Amino acid sequence: MTFTKPLTDLEIATKAKLKPITDIADSAKIPFEALEQYGKYKAKIDATKIIGKPTGKVVLVTATSPTPAGEGKSTVTVGLADALNQLKQKVMVALREPSLGPVMGIKGGATGGGYAQVVPMEDINLHFTGDLHAITTANNALAALIDNHIYQGNELKVDPRRIIWKRVLDINDRALRKVVLGLGGPVQGVPREDGFDITVASEIMAVFCLATSLENLKERLANIVIGYTYSKEPVFVRDLGVEGALTVLLKDAFKPNLVQTIEGTPALVHGGPFANIAHGCNSIIATQTARKLADIVVTEAGFGADLGAEKFMNIKARQGSFAPSAVVVVTTIRALKMHGGVEKSALSTENVVALKKGIPNLEKHLDTIRNFGIEPIVALNRFITDTEQEIDVILNWAKDNNIRIARTNVWEEGGKGGLELARQVLEVLEQPQQFTSLYEVSNTIEQKITTIVQKVYGGEGVQFTEQAKKQIAQIKKFGWDVLPICMAKTQYSLSDQPHLLGRPEGFTITVREIIPKLGAGFLVCLTGEIMTMPGLPKEPAALAMDINKNGETIGLF
Amino acid sequence: MTFTKPLTDLEIATKAKLKPITDIADSAKIPFEALEQYGKYKAKIDATKIIGKPTGKVVLVTATSPTPAGEGKSTVTVGLADALNQLKQKVMVALREPSLGPVMGIKGGATGGGYAQVVPMEDINLHFTGDLHAITTANNALAALIDNHIYQGNELKVDPRRIIWKRVLDINDRALRKVVLGLGGPVQGVPREDGFDITVASEIMAVFCLATSLENLKERLANIVIGYTYSKEPVFVRDLGVEGALTVLLKDAFKPNLVQTIEGTPALVHGGPFANIAHGCNSIIATQTARKLADIVVTEAGFGADLGAEKFMNIKARQGSFAPSAVVVVTTIRALKMHGGVEKSALSTENVVALKKGIPNLEKHLDTIRNFGIEPIVALNRFITDTEQEIDVILNWAKDNNIRIARTNVWEEGGKGGLELARQVLEVLEQPQQFTSLYEVSNTIEQKITTIVQKVYGGEGVQFTEQAKKQIAQIKKFGWDVLPICMAKTQYSLSDQPHLLGRPEGFTITVREIIPKLGAGFLVCLTGEIMTMPGLPKEPAALAMDINKNGETIGLF
């Protein structure tokens, strides 16, 4: 008996025979004048040159509360699109673009996996078309302009202790979390405390992903609050007068990126905001462009349905004026066993009891999707360690409860492994959907947060710290309370306590801080320590990366 | 009488009718498989797919000691190439790529000017093909990996007080010159003093520009010294084992960028190291690729001949194993008047006496070029304020001294304004040149520096500070003294004192510090305060930049 070492994602992606991006553009009916090639297999699309209305139906892929390794949401998103393509549908994928920080830090790009990947995998996971670099640059140009304004006389009377605009790098760099800058004496600047976030946590990333046009991008940039004056009045980017320059720095990045799946399905990969302090979805401009080009757009949102899907509905869909027509909830037997109390180290062992105990987590996420007026479809994403008995438990549960379910095996089989799911999705798309918002933006901040906690997390209520109460009062004073809420919460539990697995009940959520993001157009609501600059592990992924003798990249996962 | 407002460089560049980059590639006989398009008017070239030997002759464009506004060296470089093109020569331009910092800070891109520009001007001055972003990322990934190494146990025993690897941003940001990072307690890192440089000052930029292949790039990266241990032994990138990952981050950027001049001459714009703490020339890989494709390659080096040309000869040409066949020294009547003692505010007024008094500066730079065995050609670059009488003074001086001179008016006329210069260059290229190195790398550090001071600057000798003496001893101990010297000196004077204009004599140069750059393969010799992170002015250029209603950039200079 011989074993073959399974291929890595990079090896599979490298072996794939890619079509020239001009062929992909042709197949998607993208006019030549809208196409800007970046190498042979990537292109930017000038969205203003794509004529027509965004009429394509949106299929949102979300998930149950994830294990640290994730449940394969991007992989299912890509595989589902490939399956729909196999079924002769006019389909496009719309995905977030990866951040280099995690790529260099912990193993794992963000381009799907196995035979359900967007390619060229290596380029997309590294610099791609430079979008994140443009966002880093715009973010840091703004920071430099702020400190320079203070250094040059501080006409706006910005209080250096109340600057909230941080610098960013697209790197996991723990040492930059808290810094003191402006040291070295009078000619070097004005000393103050500061810190760096990772680029995907920049408000400019959120702005970029929610802007509906270049003009709207500039308006949103102008609205960003960078800090407060000595008399505690907000200071906006428009007060500095640099929104034009920031827009110039972002205008090329703002064009959606066209790539392809391994099976040649066209994919737009554009924008990638954090799913905690931001909304965790690809750009509205990419989704809307895809909706002009295709009948079905398959897209995803970060973390579980309590985070990504909720924000997709309440923030992205609202700001983009569209609604999803179908929602797929990805789950795995591993994840459900974890929610049934199994330790990470034992997830590969059959455990029907724990599995049954974990199903309520899935049930809550399905209820959430139904709260938005949409009948969800469960995608049971196959892992090699799943047993027949375990699979039967899930299938029987679905049958008993009249729940749409499909098994997916797209990592191994590509689109073929997603055909069952694709057929279910097509059936749902045939049915009329009654999308309903969970709250109105005109509700009070407290009402909006309570609605999310009760209808999405399944909790009882909300506690606000004294600090949060003060901030709410200030936000009301400035008239900013009419914005939707962007919850920053642990992804591991439906509650704000990571160890509360399954479907916890009777809990309250503690809101510690509320941060207005006026450019993005939402209020970030912090419910615990949120890490906005990751650190590197003891053995960073970078140590494995290299160029071999043929000039090819190796060790990228 | 009506006046027409002259067009800005951006307006001229925008009005230019560009050829598709595929046509430019065809005209330069670049095989299709080597071409990677970046939009319609930019491409990267896979240099490994350009067959043939680098046999093209190199024409180096340098200058007299400049005014703060510069003498139009890039403009003459582009105009000369266009003129040679008009004369049916097979010619390419090889230029440095601009840094965004100065573009956002003080008015002025770096793509030539008027009708002698490389285009698309806007793209090249903004993110271009992302090379500088890749260098920023590689530089900062290394910094994060160093701090992470210390945080994770510091196996290499790196002394946090002796880390010399700084972070970089491609932004003018004075507040980052001196920082304290790693603050916030045990989980945030190890506090230490640090600072940020501008990206073009990164040793990775120098490495990138001097590497002769991707393999050589990796070797050089491995050789970078990032700091010293507690027992003062050097710590190399290879000790951290991350040269592979850094090479992966740089491998696409390492491909030269193909663009065109307004007149359609092919141009490689690639790499842009500082001309003080680095060598100030475009990449060797671009120059050598151009030499494979064209019979004549016109290129430039930063600042005056005392800095850029000296380093071109002693560092770039040496490491690239080639020699220039002709050298053009650009000067202006304005610059010579300044060297004759005229205040900046009065440079527009005719002043024949000052002009004559300033000519010795030009004479010294010509002597320098002759010291390298090459007969220089003076390019007198026209400014609107030049008077006929002033021009006659220069032309008569050249005639009397048997000096090759040509007037250029390329800003206004493009290649046509460079025809006289082009004919002179062709005459020189017909003659055999006897290029000689000024020193051998096997000379002592003191000998090498003294040679530069005496033969290039025209000074008497060198003084070493106690610190420099210590450093020289240490460098010898480690066996690093066999490297060429990279002088960091003011560009405004031939001496190390900016106010000593004209052709100062009898001065000594004070060497304050010697910094080994083992990746780049040179020893940086500091002769004064060198600013490696510029600041923004009171009215940054960014304030004028905007997007107009048609989505076009305005206010970029």
Side-chain angles (χ1 to χ4, degrees):
Chain A
M1 204 166 143
T2 57
F3 288 96
T4 322
K5 202 179 159 202
L7 296 177
T8 66
D9 287 352
L10 175 60
E11 284 164 346
I12 291 169
T14 306
K15 277 173 192 282
K17 176 92 186 108
L18 274 59
K19 292 180 194 164
I21 200 66
T22 43
D23 290 5
I24 298 292
D26 281 348
S27 74
K29 303 248 187 318
I30 296 168
F32 178 72
E33 64 272 18
L35 201 72
E36 295 176 13
Q37 277 184 255
Y38 273 66
K40 294 190 171 48
Y41 306 111
K42 297 166 285 179
K44 281 202 164 274
I45 297 176
D46 184 343
T48 64
K49 289 182 181 147
I50 308 290
I51 312 303
K53 296 227 151 121
T55 52
K57 290 182 173 174
V58 173
V59 178
L60 174 66
V61 178
T62 180
T64 48
S65 304
T67 60
E71 276 25 82
K73 205 167 45 202
S74 304
T75 307
V76 170
T77 304
V78 171
L80 171 57
D82 283 337
L84 288 164
N85 197 11
Q86 288 190 16
L87 295 174
K88 307 290 173 212
Q89 300 296 313
K90 207 172 152 190
V91 62
M92 279 185 101
V93 196
L95 286 181
R96 287 169 290 167
E97 49 188 318
S99 160
L100 252 173
V103 170
M104 303 298 288
I106 48 167
K107 273 185 198 185
T111 45
Y115 290 90
Q117 292 189 59
V118 282
V119 281
M121 176 272 205
E122 182 188 334
D123 297 31
I124 300 172
N125 278 311
L126 294 173
H127 307 289
F128 200 19
T129 58
D131 296 346
L132 269 75
H133 294 320
I135 291 168
T136 303
T137 304
N139 183 103
N140 295 344
L142 175 55
L145 287 159
I146 294 167
D147 276 306
N148 187 56
H149 178 87
I150 295 171
Y151 174 84
Q152 301 284 359
N154 201 4
E155 209 180 309
L156 293 171
K157 304 205 186 320
V158 181
D159 185 344
R161 301 161 309 174
R162 288 196 171 84
I163 294 172
I164 55 174
W165 192 256
K166 289 162 83 178
R167 288 169 174 82
V168 299
L169 286 181
D170 190 20
I171 285 175
N172 290 6
D173 194 347
R174 156 192 315 108
L176 292 177
R177 283 177 191 155
K178 284 180 198 289
V179 304
V180 171
L181 49 72
L183 299 171
V187 299
Q188 317 287 16
V190 178
R192 64 181 185 86
E193 282 183 56
D194 198 10
F196 284 65
D197 287 338
I198 190 162
T199 299
V200 294
S202 169
E203 185 175 354
I204 291 184
M205 175 60 96
V207 161
F208 181 93
C209 288
L210 291 168
T212 52
S213 66
L214 198 62
E215 213 174 359
N216 180 245
L217 178 71
K218 187 171 136 186
E219 274 169 37
R220 287 173 178 269
L221 291 167
N223 286 339
I224 290 174
V225 175
I226 59 97
Y228 296 86
T229 63
Y230 285 106
S231 50
K232 298 187 188 166
E233 292 299 316
V235 181
F236 297 90
V237 165
R238 59 174 177 265
D239 298 325
L240 290 163
V242 297
E243 66 272 23
L246 300 184
T247 310
V248 168
L249 287 172
L250 294 169
K251 78 180 173 50
D252 287 325
F254 191 60
K255 297 170 186 163
N257 305 301
L258 179 70
V259 290
Q260 62 192 295
T261 69
I262 284 183
E263 297 189 7
T265 306
L268 293 184
V269 177
H270 195 230
F274 248 28
N276 43 43
I277 63 151
H279 61 291
C281 309
N282 71 278
S283 74
I284 283 183
I285 196 87
T287 302
Q288 294 293 66
T289 302
R291 291 181 66 220
K292 287 183 185 175
L293 293 165
D295 297 332
I296 305 175
V297 177
V298 187
T299 189
E300 58 155 356
F303 297 144
D306 53 331
L307 288 164
E310 184 270 309
K311 295 178 191 183
F312 185 92
M313 310 293 195
N314 285 322
I315 297 173
K316 182 179 176 181
R318 193 191 302 264
Q319 297 202 15
S321 308
F322 65 86
S325 300
V327 176
V328 173
V329 180
V330 178
T331 195
T332 59
I333 283 171
R334 290 167 62 84
L336 296 178
K337 284 193 288 193
M338 189 190 72
H339 284 286
V342 173
E343 290 294 316
K344 235 189 293 179
S345 54
L347 288 177
S348 304
T349 314
E350 183 179 87
N351 190 333
V352 168
V353 176
L355 176 60
K356 285 181 179 167
K357 216 175 137 207
I359 287 178
N361 182 272
L362 171 57
E363 288 175 330
K364 176 64 197 98
H365 288 295
L366 298 177
D367 285 350
T368 298
I369 301 305
R370 289 189 199 102
N371 282 339
F372 287 101
I374 298 173
E375 181 55 33
I377 306 154
V378 176
L380 180 64
N381 193 27
R382 184 176 179 269
F383 265 72
I384 195 100
T385 51
D386 300 348
T387 69
E388 280 309 312
Q389 218 192 323
E390 287 175 327
I391 293 167
D392 283 345
V393 168
I394 300 288
L395 295 182
N396 289 331
W397 159 84
K399 202 174 165 193
D400 295 348
N401 294 279
N402 202 21
I403 286 163
R404 281 190 181 272
I405 192 165
R407 292 166 66 182
T408 54
N409 189 21
V410 294
W411 198 101
E412 202 168 4
E413 299 181 322
K416 188 167 160 258
L419 284 172
E420 192 187 335
L421 176 62
R423 289 194 189 96
Q424 295 269 4
V425 166
L426 288 175
E427 279 181 31
V428 170
L429 290 182
E430 289 293 309
Q431 299 162 10
Q433 301 289 325
Q434 200 63 35
F435 176 75
T436 45
S437 260
L438 273 200
Y439 61 75
E440 296 304 316
V441 288
S442 57
N443 298 158
T444 66
I445 292 174
E446 294 88 341
Q447 281 168 348
K448 286 182 275 200
I449 296 173
T450 306
T451 301
I452 293 169
V453 168
Q454 291 175 345
K455 297 219 174 146
V456 177
Y457 305 163
E460 282 214 343
V462 188
Q463 275 200 320
F464 294 91
T465 61
E466 286 308 308
Q467 191 190 8
K469 284 179 191 166
K470 259 195 216 166
Q471 287 166 329
I472 289 174
Q474 199 200 25
I475 288 166
K476 282 183 185 162
K477 187 189 117 190
F478 291 130
W480 302 339
D481 51 332
V482 294
L483 294 174
I485 303 295
C486 181
M487 297 294 289
K489 182 182 73 67
T490 176
Q491 68 267 37
Y492 296 118
S493 170
L494 281 156
S495 76
D496 57 358
Q497 296 154 66
H499 62 278
L500 284 187
L501 299 179
R503 183 179 189 161
E505 284 179 345
F507 61 88
T508 57
I509 293 278
T510 305
V511 171
R512 301 180 334 126
E513 218 180 314
I514 303 204
I515 306 164
K517 299 276 185 185
L518 298 201
F522 53 60
L523 304 172
V524 174
C525 176
L526 296 186
T527 68
E529 289 290 346
I530 299 296
M531 179 62 68
T532 50
M533 174 52 102
L536 288 168
K538 193 165 170 77
E539 291 282 330
L543 298 184
M545 290 182 196
D546 207 352
I547 297 276
N548 68 15
K549 282 187 181 161
N550 304 323
E552 298 157 348
T553 300
I554 53 171
L556 181 66
F557 298 96
Chain B
M1 204 166 143
T2 56
F3 287 97
T4 322
K5 202 179 156 201
L7 297 175
T8 66
D9 287 353
L10 176 58
E11 284 163 347
I12 292 169
T14 307
K15 277 172 193 281
K17 178 89 185 105
L18 274 59
K19 291 182 197 164
I21 199 67
T22 42
D23 291 4
I24 298 292
D26 281 349
S27 74
K29 303 250 186 319
I30 296 167
F32 178 74
E33 65 271 18
L35 200 72
E36 296 178 15
Q37 278 185 253
Y38 274 65
K40 293 189 172 47
Y41 306 111
K42 296 165 286 178
K44 279 201 163 277
I45 298 176
D46 184 342
T48 63
K49 291 182 179 146
I50 308 290
I51 312 303
K53 296 226 153 124
T55 52
K57 289 182 173 173
V58 174
V59 178
L60 173 67
V61 178
T62 182
T64 48
S65 304
T67 61
E71 277 25 82
K73 203 167 44 202
S74 304
T75 308
V76 170
T77 305
V78 172
L80 169 58
D82 283 337
L84 289 164
N85 198 10
Q86 287 190 18
L87 295 175
K88 307 290 173 212
Q89 299 297 313
K90 207 171 156 194
V91 62
M92 281 186 99
V93 195
L95 286 180
R96 286 169 291 167
E97 49 187 319
S99 160
L100 251 172
V103 170
M104 304 297 287
I106 46 164
K107 275 184 195 181
T111 46
Y115 291 89
Q117 292 188 59
V118 282
V119 282
M121 175 271 207
E122 183 187 335
D123 297 31
I124 300 172
N125 277 310
L126 294 172
H127 306 290
F128 200 21
T129 57
D131 296 346
L132 269 74
H133 294 321
I135 291 168
T136 303
T137 304
N139 184 101
N140 295 343
L142 175 54
L145 288 159
I146 294 167
D147 275 306
N148 188 57
H149 179 87
I150 294 172
Y151 174 84
Q152 302 283 1
N154 200 6
E155 209 179 308
L156 293 171
K157 305 207 186 321
V158 181
D159 184 344
R161 304 160 306 174
R162 289 198 169 83
I163 294 173
I164 55 172
W165 192 255
K166 289 163 83 178
R167 287 168 175 81
V168 298
L169 286 181
D170 189 20
I171 286 175
N172 290 7
D173 194 347
R174 141 189 334 101
L176 291 177
R177 284 177 192 157
K178 283 181 199 289
V179 304
V180 172
L181 49 72
L183 299 172
V187 299
Q188 317 288 15
V190 178
R192 65 180 184 88
E193 284 183 56
D194 198 11
F196 283 67
D197 287 338
I198 191 161
T199 298
V200 293
S202 168
E203 185 174 353
I204 291 185
M205 174 61 96
V207 162
F208 182 93
C209 288
L210 291 169
T212 51
S213 67
L214 198 62
E215 212 175 0
N216 180 246
L217 178 71
K218 187 170 136 186
E219 275 171 35
R220 286 172 178 269
L221 290 167
N223 285 340
I224 290 174
V225 175
I226 59 94
Y228 296 85
T229 64
Y230 285 106
S231 49
K232 298 188 189 167
E233 292 299 315
V235 181
F236 298 89
V237 166
R238 61 175 177 261
D239 296 326
L240 290 162
V242 297
E243 66 272 23
L246 301 184
T247 310
V248 168
L249 287 172
L250 294 169
K251 78 180 173 50
D252 288 324
F254 191 60
K255 297 170 184 162
N257 305 299
L258 178 70
V259 290
Q260 61 191 290
T261 69
I262 285 183
E263 297 189 8
T265 306
L268 294 184
V269 176
H270 195 230
F274 250 26
N276 42 43
I277 62 151
H279 62 291
C281 309
N282 72 275
S283 74
I284 283 183
I285 194 89
T287 301
Q288 294 293 66
T289 302
R291 292 181 65 217
K292 286 183 187 177
L293 293 164
D295 296 331
I296 304 175
V297 178
V298 186
T299 190
E300 56 156 357
F303 298 143
D306 52 331
L307 287 163
E310 184 269 310
K311 294 178 191 184
F312 185 93
M313 311 294 194
N314 283 322
I315 298 173
K316 182 179 175 180
R318 191 191 304 264
Q319 297 202 15
S321 308
F322 64 87
S325 300
V327 175
V328 173
V329 179
V330 178
T331 195
T332 59
I333 284 171
R334 290 167 62 85
L336 295 179
K337 284 194 287 192
M338 191 190 72
H339 283 287
V342 173
E343 289 293 317
K344 235 191 287 178
S345 55
L347 288 178
S348 304
T349 314
E350 184 180 86
N351 191 335
V352 168
V353 176
L355 176 60
K356 285 181 180 168
K357 218 176 135 202
I359 287 177
N361 183 271
L362 171 57
E363 288 174 330
K364 174 66 197 97
H365 289 296
L366 298 178
D367 285 350
T368 298
I369 301 304
R370 288 190 201 104
N371 282 340
F372 287 101
I374 298 174
E375 181 56 33
I377 306 154
V378 176
L380 181 63
N381 193 25
R382 185 176 177 269
F383 266 69
I384 194 99
T385 50
D386 299 349
T387 68
E388 281 307 314
Q389 217 192 322
E390 287 175 328
I391 293 168
D392 283 346
V393 168
I394 301 289
L395 296 183
N396 288 334
W397 160 83
K399 204 175 163 192
D400 293 348
N401 293 280
N402 202 20
I403 286 163
R404 282 191 180 271
I405 192 166
R407 293 164 66 182
T408 55
N409 189 20
V410 295
W411 198 100
E412 203 169 3
E413 299 182 320
K416 190 168 156 256
L419 284 173
E420 193 188 334
L421 177 61
R423 289 195 191 94
Q424 295 270 4
V425 166
L426 288 176
E427 279 182 29
V428 170
L429 290 182
E430 290 294 310
Q431 299 161 10
Q433 301 290 324
Q434 200 61 33
F435 177 75
T436 44
S437 261
L438 274 200
Y439 61 75
E440 296 304 315
V441 290
S442 57
N443 297 155
T444 67
I445 293 174
E446 295 88 340
Q447 280 168 347
K448 286 182 274 198
I449 296 173
T450 305
T451 300
I452 293 169
V453 168
Q454 291 175 344
K455 296 219 175 145
V456 178
Y457 305 163
E460 283 214 344
V462 189
Q463 276 201 317
F464 294 90
T465 63
E466 285 310 308
Q467 192 190 6
K469 285 180 192 165
K470 261 196 214 164
Q471 287 166 330
I472 290 174
Q474 199 197 26
I475 289 167
K476 282 184 188 163
K477 186 188 119 192
F478 291 130
W480 302 339
D481 51 331
V482 293
L483 296 174
I485 303 294
C486 181
M487 296 295 288
K489 180 183 75 69
T490 177
Q491 68 266 37
Y492 297 119
S493 170
L494 281 157
S495 76
D496 57 358
Q497 296 156 67
H499 61 278
L500 284 186
L501 300 179
R503 183 179 188 161
E505 286 181 345
F507 61 88
T508 56
I509 294 278
T510 306
V511 171
R512 299 179 337 126
E513 219 178 312
I514 303 202
I515 306 165
K517 300 277 185 185
L518 298 202
F522 53 62
L523 304 173
V524 174
C525 175
L526 297 186
T527 67
E529 286 290 346
I530 298 297
M531 178 63 68
T532 50
M533 171 53 99
L536 289 168
K538 192 163 171 82
E539 292 282 332
L543 298 183
M545 289 181 196
D546 206 352
I547 297 277
N548 69 14
K549 282 184 180 162
N550 304 325
E552 297 157 349
T553 301
I554 52 172
L556 181 66
F557 297 96

